[in-house]
Amino acid sequence: MKIEDLQKKAKTLRKDIIEMIYRAKSGHPGGSLSIADILAVLYWKEMNVDPENPKMENRDRLVLSKGHAAPALYAALIEKGFLGDEGKNLIPTLRRWHSPLQGHPDMKKLAGVEMSTGSLGQGLSAANGMALSAKIYNNDFRVYTILGDGELQEGQVWEAVMTAAHYKLDNLVAIVDYNNLQIDGKVSDVMDVAPIGEKFKAFNWSVIEIDGHNYEEIINALDTAKTVKGKPTVIVANTAKGKGVSFMENNPGFHGMAPNEEEYKKAMEELKED
């Protein structure tokens, strides 16, 4: 798929995200919007997945460790076809009772969700298990996990980082959504995690730093990760929280706040197709 087509996919994902959160009157728009470009590349160019056979043995896996960004994952699964013809009809049901689109991903409720996440810090551990399993059983699928930068403040993350390096999980790629904002403000003010790249290098990971909204850089980083042998790869993706909606960009207030009607209309107008 061409880059311009991936950009259109990402814009569709962003519209779905805003629609979901506005209808729910709650949710996390900022960190969902910041990973839309990465998800577009993963689902429409990178990962080997089949919406018609979501449990195929050799599928690539994605663990959304920052589970509060569930609307972004749901949008990707809906647009990719994992929810069938009814997928679009589910968009207004985010966070509703009995909806498969819960506030955080639930692997028992929705095809395509590889791991139930939400308690921050646990996704990389789950991804490690999947990648190690592939090694043990000689499967050639790859495992991807997306972490928030504030999530790196969790100690379990660094235990998992050490484990992945110890077992030489070169079929594992961690992607850090480095937007430098969390619910209480700047990550650098709350509990600084910099320098992220140097810390991962110290744990014997291969490190690639990119602009997380530049499609060529995203694609090249994922391609490079496939050539790395004997160690896992982390892609440190510098992003803007709320990317794609001007008044949400780099605004910590929209970490976990739904837009009102006026803001919703303005956001959807900005995301209209050219």
Side-chain angles (χ1 to χ4, degrees):
M1 183 175 282
K2 296 179 180 178
I3 287 177
E4 51 264 36
D5 295 322
L6 293 171
Q7 290 171 326
K8 289 179 181 179
K9 286 292 184 185
K11 183 171 282 190
T12 299
L13 298 186
R14 290 187 166 101
K15 286 190 287 188
D16 289 350
I17 289 165
I18 295 298
E19 189 73 37
M20 281 184 220
I21 295 173
Y22 171 69
R23 299 297 173 190
K25 304 303 180 190
S26 68
H28 297 79
S32 298
L33 293 168
S34 62
I35 61 172
D37 300 303
I38 292 167
L39 287 176
V41 174
L42 285 173
Y43 276 98
W44 280 274
K45 186 171 179 62
E46 179 67 16
M47 293 198 305
N48 175 31
V49 294
D50 182 0
E52 300 296 324
N53 185 15
K55 291 294 185 181
M56 69 177 184
E57 184 178 1
N58 218 38
R59 71 191 182 279
D60 291 333
R61 274 80 164 165
L62 171 66
V63 176
L64 181 66
S65 190
K66 45 175 283 178
H68 55 282
L73 176 61
Y74 297 156
L77 294 177
I78 288 169
E79 296 299 335
K80 188 69 177 177
F82 277 88
L83 281 70
D85 295 336
E86 293 301 307
K88 284 287 192 180
N89 295 333
L90 289 171
I91 287 176
T93 73
L94 177 70
R95 293 188 166 215
R96 290 188 183 177
W97 192 253
H98 297 309
S99 171
L101 308 185
Q102 288 299 296
H104 292 82
D106 187 335
M107 63 193 294
K108 294 183 179 180
K109 290 184 178 291
L110 194 61
V113 174
E114 297 290 348
M115 187 66 195
S116 301
T117 55
S119 184
L120 293 176
Q122 298 179 1
L124 181 55
S125 294
N128 280 348
M130 297 174 190
L132 185 57
S133 172
K135 293 282 189 181
I136 292 170
Y137 291 103
N138 294 314
N139 292 320
D140 61 2
F141 64 80
R142 295 181 65 76
V143 183
Y144 302 87
T145 182
I146 301 176
L147 301 94
D149 48 3
E151 185 177 7
L152 300 187
Q153 296 161 354
E154 296 280 358
Q156 182 176 338
V157 169
W158 298 102
E159 294 179 15
V161 167
M162 181 167 52
T163 299
H166 176 79
Y167 288 105
K168 298 178 170 51
L169 300 181
D170 50 18
N171 55 345
L172 171 70
V173 177
I175 302 170
V176 177
D177 179 26
Y178 197 8
N179 58 48
N180 197 35
L181 288 175
Q182 59 189 109
I183 192 168
D184 290 323
K186 290 185 178 180
V187 173
S188 55
D189 292 337
V190 177
M191 181 60 69
D192 199 0
V193 297
I196 294 175
E198 292 303 313
K199 289 176 179 174
F200 273 88
K201 284 179 184 177
F203 281 87
N204 200 31
W205 281 56
S206 174
V207 178
I208 305 170
E209 300 200 29
I210 65 168
D211 175 346
H213 305 302
N214 182 305
Y215 285 78
E216 289 185 356
E217 291 189 23
I218 298 169
I219 293 166
N220 289 339
L222 292 168
D223 286 343
T224 299
K226 293 175 186 173
T227 69
V228 174
K229 302 302 178 186
K231 61 175 65 176
T233 295
V234 62
I235 298 172
V236 182
N238 293 283
T239 62
K241 196 148 191 164
K243 179 68 174 179
V245 178
S246 62
F247 59 89
M248 291 186 180
E249 286 191 13
N250 298 310
N251 183 347
F254 281 101
H255 172 90
M257 182 176 68
N260 59 32
E261 183 176 1
E262 180 181 350
E263 291 166 337
Y264 162 74
K265 289 179 179 178
K266 183 177 180 181
M268 296 303 275
E269 180 64 26
E270 290 185 9
L271 292 168
K272 282 176 62 176
E273 294 294 337
D274 296 330

